[in-house]
Amino acid sequence: MERITPELAEIKPYTWAHHVARYKFACQYCEDRVVLDVGCGAAYGAEMLRKEGQARLVVGLDINLDQVQVGNTLGLMLIRGDAMKLPFKDESFDVITAFEVIEHLDDPQKAIGEIRRVLKTGGVALISTPRRDLWQRTPTNPHHKLEFSFAEFKTYIASWFPVFQIFGQYFDYIFTEIFPPGLGLRRILRQVVSLLAKLNRSEHLLHKFDVMPMEGMPRYIVPKYMIAVCLGVTQLTAHSFPYHCDNSQAKARQ
């Protein structure tokens, strides 16, 4: 079982920072709302949504909750449950997060459909997953059942949410994926790319923890992690997309 816990901050600080950044990004949607965190794990993220996001109620759901975790505290409820069969009525939640969950499931489409079912009309769902490398055919992570290209992820999301926007984390140049990670050639290429990034003032895109919109990014720059922010609407309409992502400093450096 793969699980992110606060102890990971010392062992794998970059991995921990990426996870925390996603929850911080989600906090902006949560004030005074009823929130579901699918695949909550150790529930550190659910607690962030409750405390920093000022949610009225956060329900954390995970199929592998420890017995000591199951229970209620003020504004936070933890329950066991399956992401592919959510134990809630239709349109139960204002906000739903599912960070690094769908790649662990046998049927990701079913889980996304369940998220859409329990999301209120007018609500917001945030779904993240790692983007697979160009050379990759099967996941290198033994805990992952399936990983997605950018196009595949968009197809999955679009089948359930007609209005969505995709963000990314940890941007890199796509041609660094020509060689597998273990080869020295890839390490050399990454060093060359880092130097070029400094020269063209785009180094802020490399090793980026912050969540940034994919719209407007050059095609040769790709994220390691993809985050879809989806609206619970009944049909495609001209809708002002409700996100707040301050990337003015990044734009100034481009």
Side-chain angles (χ1 to χ4, degrees), residues 173-223:
Y173 291 85
I174 196 166
F175 47 81
T176 61
E177 298 178 3
I178 295 172
F179 307 104
L183 293 180
L185 288 174
R186 190 174 189 181
R187 289 195 294 269
I188 293 171
L189 184 57
R190 189 174 296 279
Q191 290 175 355
V192 171
V193 164
S194 296
L195 177 60
L196 291 174
K198 291 179 181 179
L199 292 175
N200 67 18
R201 303 181 67 187
S202 63
E203 72 273 15
H204 61 284
L205 292 175
L206 305 180
H207 312 295
K208 188 79 174 177
F209 299 132
D210 294 342
V211 176
M212 299 178 67
M214 287 297 298
E215 184 179 353
M217 287 287 180
R219 291 186 177 182
Y220 56 83
I221 292 177
V222 291

Side-chain angles (χ1 to χ4, degrees), residues 68-87:
V68 294
Q69 289 180 288
V70 179
N72 303 332
T73 59
L74 183 63
L76 178 63
M77 178 186 301
L78 301 178
I79 64 174
R80 285 194 185 93
D82 187 344
M84 294 184 291
K85 191 177 181 180
L86 295 175

Side-chain angles (χ1 to χ4, degrees), residues 1 16 24 66 69 81 84 89 92 96 100 120 125 152 164 166 174 183 196 209 212 216 229 233 242 245 249:
M1 180 180 65
W16 172 252
K24 286 185 178 294
D66 298 330
Q69 289 180 288
M84 294 184 291
K89 295 180 180 179
S92 295
I96 301 176
E100 309 302 286
K120 291 181 180 179
E152 290 166 346
F164 65 93
I166 295 184
I174 196 166
L183 293 180
L196 291 174
F209 299 132
M212 299 178 67
V229 180
V233 296
C245 184
Q249 292 182 346

Side-chain angles (χ1 to χ4, degrees), residues 69-142:
Q69 289 180 288
V70 179
N72 303 332
T73 59
L74 183 63
L76 178 63
M77 178 186 301
L78 301 178
I79 64 174
R80 285 194 185 93
D82 187 344
M84 294 184 291
K85 191 177 181 180
L86 295 175
F88 308 109
K89 295 180 180 179
D90 295 359
E91 299 204 32
S92 295
F93 297 94
D94 301 300
V95 179
I96 301 176
T97 58
F99 292 147
E100 309 302 286
V101 173
I102 61 173
E103 66 272 12
H104 295 268
L105 305 177
D106 292 321
D107 192 346
Q109 274 277 32
K110 190 172 183 180
I112 296 172
E114 279 290 275
I115 289 171
R116 178 64 191 93
R117 179 182 66 80
V118 303
L119 180 68
K120 291 181 180 179
T121 299
V124 179
L126 299 95
I127 304 168
S128 80
T129 192
R131 182 190 59 83
R132 63 175 171 82
D133 285 354
L134 293 177
W135 57 270
Q136 186 178 329
R137 292 294 178 268
T138 58
T140 56
N141 187 322

